[in-house]
Amino acid sequence: MNKGFKKYRPAQPIAIQNRTWPDKQITKAPIWCSVDLRDGNQALVDPMNLEEKLLFFQTLIKIGFKEIEVGFPSASETEYEILRTLIERNLIPDDVTIQVLVQAREHLIKKTFEAIKGAKNVIVHFYNSTSTLQRKVVFHTDMQGVIDIAVNGAKLIRKLTEEIADPQMNIRYEYSPESFSGTEMDNAVEICDRVVEALGSTPEHPVILNLPNTVEGATPNHYADQIEYFCTHLQHRDSAIISVHPHNDRGCGIAATELAMMAGAERVEGTIFGNGERTGNADIMVVAMNMYSQGVDPELDFSDMPYIKSVYEKCTKMHVHERHPYAGELVFTAFSGSHQDAINKGEAYMKEHDSAYWEVPYLPIDPADVGRQYEPIIRINSQSGKGGAAFVMKHNFGIDMPKDMHPEFGAVIKAACDQKGAELKPQEVYEIFENEYLGVHYPYQLKNYRLTDNDDNTTTFEGIVGYHHNDYKIKAVGNGPIDAFFKAVKNIGIHDFEFISYAEHALSSGADSKAIAYIKLKTPGGDFIYGVGVDNNILIASIKGVICAVNRTLKQNKGE
Ligand code: KIV
Ligand code: ZN
């Protein structure tokens, strides 16, 4: 047996009593900060070029981000240039704050201050690592050494801000004790309190204290405990905005973000679609859409998800997975027949009850809310239930078959799927419908017709019906058009069929609008069969439906 697990130590519980976060609910949007252009970008095989960063930046603005970390200008010339371009070309809206990251090191801080010159609203985000592990294996220093680095950085940042003395520039600060979640909580609180003091932060000018889950190493409740502990022990709590920056190493970045918000986080850093170092950052899109689906306004707009996804894929050269919540190609697709039936019923229920709430099983949100359409919701394969194909016909092509007809059409579709051995696209479903019903003009064919209403409330049908290669003139009087037609065709071999039911609806509107009729007949053999007719005249559509049902019966019986 593999004993490899023995080299890992479990996370130790936080010394917190009477934690309150489990009883909290997320009721309002946090301050969002996108770190796509920094944390996300630094994790790309090919980091974004200027053009890609600008496109991504503009897309983040469209989504509604008001705080965007645009880069690490002291880290490379490209990063520096991109920041200068944003500022000099005036590409940053007045209500958007750009954020720049820098290590708490003198020369890097100085370079960063050069890079931000002229920016209207900017957050200088500085950090140093505080974790037990990094102190031991990377920095070989004690906690005081780490506090000194942070405090010296804070003092320099304050001094450089004072020196700039530009009333046009609104400079705010953010400090991250990197690897916060791997730091002893009292040390994390201590270093942050010292930073608040060194920066001179006040309730009017609070510092953002960003608490990264740099490497996610424990369950999300553990991170939430750390956030609650931090919030309740920080001496200068009123001079700080508490921000979280979860990563996703255990695949729980979204859950950790949500629990951290419940535990007191007021601000969230992350990326859309969760790109970032290793397994990525917290996926802000999903956190926001999770709020949305709970009836809370996330204050971010993902209504054009296909566009946002296309920009993301173009700029990052990453791929959004087919099963990615809210955005994946397949997330509004139901393969299972029972799911398809339930979706159908949910939709009908909402219409019938004029429901103000979304009440469709298996679809956590209305796909239209993220710019997706109903068409691809149901894909047809041989596992699809009888309602699936009918649903596609209704939603994609406006053909609303009577419920009683669904099993018949479902069986036709199932046979086609089995034969193809693969899923059918909506267009293929339509073509099968067309072949099976609308294109059946043999052996009987309506060639000419006239319907006359008589004074005694009867109807006369007169017309020419082709049978194989001969045409026959027929005429009869009946209680209505279908009855008259049935009587007329008795003479040309159509007898012993019994009319069972009839349904119809308009197919289009306007002067040349068409109607579709669904006719159910009982065949001479005692089976039930449907026929479909389409015509500008609804009465003729139903007569065509009768002929279709007869032709289909003959085709099935004799292979005509
Ligand atoms: O994950 C992290 O700790 C970071 C910090 C630099 C904020 O990205
Ligand atoms: Zn990070």
Side-chain angles (χ1 to χ4, degrees):
M1 192 179 154
N2 181 1
K3 295 273 192 286
F5 63 87
K6 287 192 179 248
K7 65 174 179 266
Y8 303 106
R9 275 184 293 236
Q12 293 309 307
I14 303 303
I16 180 170
Q17 263 140 33
N18 305 323
R19 54 178 66 72
T20 62
W21 66 261
D23 292 327
K24 299 274 170 62
Q25 277 193 311
I26 298 170
T27 54
K28 72 178 181 66
I31 301 165
W32 301 107
C33 175
S34 153
V35 295
D36 288 89
L37 302 178
R38 196 278 299 170
D39 220 345
N41 188 50
Q42 78 187 42
L44 293 176
V45 177
D46 288 323
M48 289 179 240
N49 60 28
L50 174 64
E51 200 191 318
E52 288 161 346
K53 258 204 182 184
L54 292 183
L55 173 62
F56 209 124
F57 180 71
Q58 269 141 12
T59 307
L60 292 170
I61 288 171
K62 260 195 216 142
I63 294 170
F65 283 97
K66 299 294 177 206
E67 295 184 3
I68 302 173
E69 191 163 85
V70 291
F72 205 148
S74 63
S76 79
E77 267 320 293
T78 320
E79 292 277 285
Y80 190 95
E81 285 311 319
I82 290 174
L83 177 57
R84 290 312 307 157
T85 306
L86 281 173
I87 298 169
E88 283 162 22
R89 286 204 208 153
N90 225 354
L91 296 171
I92 309 161
D94 286 349
D95 64 345
V96 171
T97 300
I98 52 160
Q99 179 167 308
V100 288
L101 182 72
V102 61
Q103 279 175 10
R105 292 172 64 185
E106 186 179 342
H107 69 290
L108 300 179
I109 292 174
K110 285 186 172 156
K111 175 122 198 206
T112 303
F113 269 78
E114 276 166 36
I116 61 171
K117 268 191 196 131
K120 285 197 190 90
N121 296 299
V122 57
I123 296 169
V124 176
H125 176 191
F126 67 111
Y127 75 97
N128 63 325
S129 187
T130 56
S131 74
T132 327
L133 180 65
Q134 295 230 27
R135 287 193 326 255
K136 185 169 82 176
V137 308
V138 183
F139 301 112
H140 310 291
T141 182
D142 58 9
M143 193 58 207
Q144 191 53 52
V146 167
I147 293 177
D148 289 345
I149 295 170
V151 167
N152 290 339
K155 284 183 182 159
L156 178 60
I157 284 171
R158 190 174 179 184
K159 180 168 155 277
L160 292 174
T161 311
E162 281 159 12
E163 279 172 18
I164 285 190
D166 181 348
Q168 305 299 320
M169 283 182 73
N170 170 23
I171 303 178
R172 292 192 286 137
Y173 309 130
E174 171 169 334
Y175 171 67
S176 290
E178 200 220 67
S179 301
F180 158 82
S181 52
T183 306
E184 305 83 349
M185 281 304 102
D186 290 332
N187 282 338
V189 169
E190 162 84 6
I191 195 167
C192 287
D193 267 325
R194 298 296 80 79
V195 164
V196 176
E197 287 157 9
L199 289 170
S201 305
T202 61
E204 294 72 39
H205 298 287
V207 59
I208 297 164
L209 293 177
N210 185 50
L211 308 176
N213 205 1
T214 303
V215 178
E216 186 181 52
T219 50
N221 59 304
H222 185 86
Y223 186 51
D225 276 354
Q226 293 179 317
I227 301 299
E228 181 161 328
Y229 186 96
F230 184 90
C231 289
T232 49
H233 287 74
L234 188 74
Q235 206 185 327
H236 300 296
R237 175 69 188 90
D238 58 350
S239 298
I241 293 168
I242 305 302
S243 176
V244 287
H245 179 109
H247 276 266
N248 192 40
D249 298 79
R250 296 166 53 97
C252 304
I254 293 159
T257 308
E258 292 177 328
L259 300 195
M261 284 160 70
M262 290 156 64
E266 303 157 284
R267 184 179 184 273
V268 169
E269 289 193 352
T271 57
I272 57 172
F273 306 115
N275 178 41
E277 293 278 11
R278 306 177 307 281
T279 51
N281 287 68
D283 183 337
I284 284 194
M285 180 278 287
V286 175
V287 177
M289 289 307 300
N290 284 352
M291 291 175 62
Y292 183 94
S293 70
Q294 295 293 306
V296 177
D297 180 0
E299 294 171 20
L300 290 179
D301 182 356
F302 289 100
S303 58
D304 197 356
M305 193 74 84
Y307 173 74
I308 296 169
K309 186 171 123 185
S310 74
V311 169
Y312 169 84
E313 290 186 334
K314 180 166 182 247
C315 296
T316 63
K317 286 132 203 125
M318 303 276 287
H319 170 70
V320 174
H321 194 274
E322 284 71 11
R323 302 267 177 223
H324 197 108
Y326 305 108
E329 192 59 39
L330 295 176
V331 298
F332 300 115
T333 305
F335 285 90
S336 132
S338 63
H339 291 202
Q340 293 174 1
D341 275 349
I343 290 170
N344 243 340
K345 285 179 181 140
E347 234 229 348
Y349 176 92
M350 281 188 65
K351 254 195 205 136
E352 259 166 48
H353 294 80
D354 201 14
S355 175
Y357 294 102
W358 182 248
E359 299 186 283
V360 179
Y362 300 110
L363 291 179
I365 63 158
D366 181 349
D369 289 355
V370 285
R372 297 285 291 272
Q373 298 186 356
Y374 286 101
E375 286 96 298
I377 287 177
I378 291 196
R379 291 182 163 192
I380 301 301
N381 58 26
S382 53
Q383 252 74 78
S384 308
K386 51 189 169 12
F391 186 90
V392 165
M393 289 302 291
K394 181 174 169 191
H395 285 273
N396 294 54
F397 307 106
I399 292 182
D400 189 5
M401 288 172 241
K403 210 169 165 358
D404 200 25
M405 185 179 165
H406 293 188
E408 180 185 293
F409 185 55
V412 172
I413 291 297
K414 186 171 173 4
C417 279
D418 286 339
Q419 201 187 2
K420 188 182 173 195
E423 174 190 307
L424 296 175
K425 299 273 174 298
Q427 188 56 34
E428 291 173 297
V429 174
Y430 180 80
E431 280 160 19
I432 291 167
F433 179 84
E434 208 172 31
N435 263 342
E436 184 69 32
Y437 297 99
L438 304 180
V440 187
H441 302 301
Y442 195 82
Y444 290 100
Q445 196 177 5
L446 184 65
K447 296 208 163 166
N448 211 329
Y449 46 80
R450 195 167 72 196
L451 288 166
T452 316
D453 290 333
N454 304 319
D455 292 343
D456 58 356
N457 278 341
T458 58
T459 305
T460 302
F461 175 89
E462 280 177 271
I464 297 175
V465 171
Y467 176 60
H468 287 286
H469 303 293
N470 300 318
D471 289 347
Y472 297 90
K473 257 191 172 178
I474 53 171
K475 181 174 178 180
V477 178
N479 290 331
I482 296 177
D483 187 43
F485 178 72
F486 254 102
K487 285 185 172 139
V489 293
K490 275 206 167 121
N491 301 324
I492 54 166
I494 302 180
H495 38 73
D496 297 335
F497 280 89
E498 193 186 325
F499 172 79
I500 301 294
S501 67
Y502 157 91
E504 44 114 338
H505 63 82
L507 268 185
S508 51
S509 54
D512 64 343
S513 67
K514 285 199 156 89
I516 185 164
Y518 309 90
I519 305 291
K520 185 179 183 183
L521 300 184
K522 189 170 181 187
T523 70
D527 298 326
F528 295 98
I529 194 157
Y530 265 93
V532 179
V534 172
D535 201 276
N536 300 71
N537 180 332
I538 183 59
L539 300 175
I540 301 305
S542 51
I543 287 170
K544 285 183 176 174
V546 172
I547 292 181
C548 169
V550 171
N551 282 340
R552 290 187 67 234
T553 308
L554 297 175
K555 193 173 162 192
Q556 285 171 12
N557 292 350
K558 299 186 202 152
E560 285 205 55

